[in-house]
Amino acid sequence: MNHLALFLDVLCITGQAVMHIFFLCRLTGKKVKIGAFLIYLPLLCILQEVCVWLSLGGILSVGMGVLVLYAVSRFVLGNPRSVSWLSSVLAFYVSQLSFGIINSLEAAVFPYFIGDSLLYLLLLAAQILFFMLCTGCYRAVLKLLSWTENNPMPSIALLLFPGLFFFAAELYILHTAYSFLVPSVSFEEVGKHSMLLALQVMGLAALFCTLYAYRQFCQGFQAQAALQSLTQAAHAQKVYITEAQLRYEQTKSFRHDIKNHLSVLDGLLKSRKIDEGQAYLKKLETVSESLSFPYQTGNPIVDILLGEKLGLAKEIETEVSLILPKPCGIDDFDLCVIFSNALDNAITACRSSSGSKAIRIGGKKQGDFYMLTFENTCSEEPLPPAGTGLSNIKAAAEKYHGAVTIEKKGQQFSLSVLLNIS
């Protein structure tokens, strides 16, 4: 029996070390590192021996285990502080809760097999069942909660306090109702352990409900951010439309008065007032330039948007070879969303790069589709996480049964937007 107990202890510690590291890596979006396991397992074994040697209680032992796992997550896997704390608490909470559930089942069943050789097989089966329950719970947590550097979750620290509460409650149950890692198997305690089993199942359900509520919160937060971005884009489009209408009225008025201007200019020339004629012509040239757009795409909204965005980035070399088809088949609002977000990202990327800065915008009709291309210089750093701007561009493209592709080669970034204009 002693050899079996030793084997089960080694199996339990090794299995927990594997599951903890695998869970941490999957939860935080990190690549599973064997080195993290090779560091964590000896530390866990040393901690176990120290706790046995010093006769430390289960709560203190598990608390020290959380600190060790936090250190591995923080300094070996490189996770942020709040993420490391929460993932470590969740990893130990699930394993301790699974241990408590299996221990309650053992206390209710094992008294009937005391003195029977079948008890050894039941102990091994209980250990396997513990690993299966742990694995299932970890998979459920991963479906409800996961974050990566490219997909950060807001206010992650909110989960730490309910997690600590569940963890503390489970440790209290284990400390008061069980001996550490050794199940109690008396007939008199079957009823008590059945009640503890129900409490721990409810604790597991409470954890999943909390994670589900947090996931709903994150989805609402992301939807709110997307809505705010679309609201800003709608406001910007109204500004562009108002400016386009104003320029149209000014151009209409200028065209109405052009005959009068030409008559005045003709009179000055006939009177041989050359200097006055040249000055008057200069004024007409200034007025005509103020009414013209620096970029001509065939869409006044896009013309104004390009002039405003690129006009504020005079340090960047720009090239626009784009003529939008008429009829375009794409709503002005969606064009505004695509161009404003693409230009904002391009200008930001150019300003973060060293050396020459350039933005090139082009367009080409391909059957019933129109391909927009935005090329710009950028830094050599890896691409940042996809933000709301790119998500809005993808949503606009999908509305027209199109697609978005991005490509980065060295310091050159390219965004292609395919739109159905039929």
Side-chain angles (χ1 to χ4, degrees), residues 29-43:
K30 301 288 186 178
K31 185 178 180 180
V32 178
K33 297 181 179 179
I34 299 179
F37 169 75
L38 295 178
I39 293 174
Y40 179 58
L41 179 59
L43 291 176

Side-chain angles (χ1 to χ4, degrees), residues 219-235 333 337 341 388-389 391-392 395:
Q219 292 176 348
F221 181 85
Q222 294 169 355
Q224 183 180 7
L227 179 62
Q228 184 178 4
S229 177
L230 289 175
T231 302
Q232 293 175 349
H235 176 71
F333 175 81
V337 168
N341 286 288
T388 305
S391 299
N392 290 340

Side-chain angles (χ1 to χ4, degrees), residues 149-171:
E149 294 178 356
N150 293 334
N151 184 31
M153 304 190 78
S155 305
I156 193 68
L158 291 176
L159 285 176
L160 186 58
F161 295 102
L164 287 173
F165 171 77
F166 294 141
F167 191 39
E170 177 61 22
L171 287 181

Side-chain angles (χ1 to χ4, degrees), residues 13-182:
I13 294 176
T14 305
Q16 285 193 68
V18 172
M19 289 191 296
H20 286 172
I21 296 299
F22 188 80
F23 173 72
L24 249 66
C25 293
R26 287 289 303 276
L27 186 65
T28 58
K30 301 288 186 178
K31 185 178 180 180
V32 178
K33 297 181 179 179
I34 299 179
F37 169 75
L38 295 178
I39 293 174
Y40 179 58
L41 179 59
L43 291 176
L44 203 60
C45 293
I46 294 173
L47 177 62
Q48 178 73 8
E49 290 299 321
V50 170
C51 291
V52 172
W53 181 51
L54 297 178
S55 300
L56 298 179
I59 294 179
L60 185 58
S61 174
V62 174
M64 293 173 64
V66 172
L67 290 177
V68 171
L69 188 57
Y70 165 80
V72 173
S73 175
R74 182 78 176 92
F75 302 108
V76 179
L77 298 177
N79 291 316
R81 186 177 291 107
S82 59
V83 171
S84 298
W85 275 120
L86 181 61
S87 57
S88 302
V89 169
L90 282 176
F92 264 89
Y93 174 72
V94 169
S95 62
Q96 291 300 310
L97 188 63
S98 300
F99 167 76
I101 291 174
I102 299 301
N103 210 343
S104 296
L105 291 174
E106 290 176 350
V109 175
F110 281 17
Y112 301 100
F113 295 92
I114 294 178
D116 194 330
S117 59
L118 189 60
L119 180 63
Y120 301 105
L121 291 177
L122 289 176
L123 288 172
L124 182 59
Q127 191 67 62
I128 296 174
L129 187 60
F130 162 71
F131 289 140
M132 292 175 62
L133 181 60
C134 256
T135 301
C137 292
Y138 284 141
R139 287 175 62 88
V141 172
L142 290 172
K143 287 185 178 180
L144 292 172
L145 177 68
S146 64
W147 63 89
T148 64
E149 294 178 356
N150 293 334
N151 184 31
M153 304 190 78
S155 305
I156 193 68
L158 291 176
L159 285 176
L160 186 58
F161 295 102
L164 287 173
F165 171 77
F166 294 141
F167 191 39
E170 177 61 22
L171 287 181
Y172 179 77
I173 291 175
L174 294 178
H175 180 69
T176 56
Y178 306 107
S179 58
F180 190 60
L181 293 177
V182 179

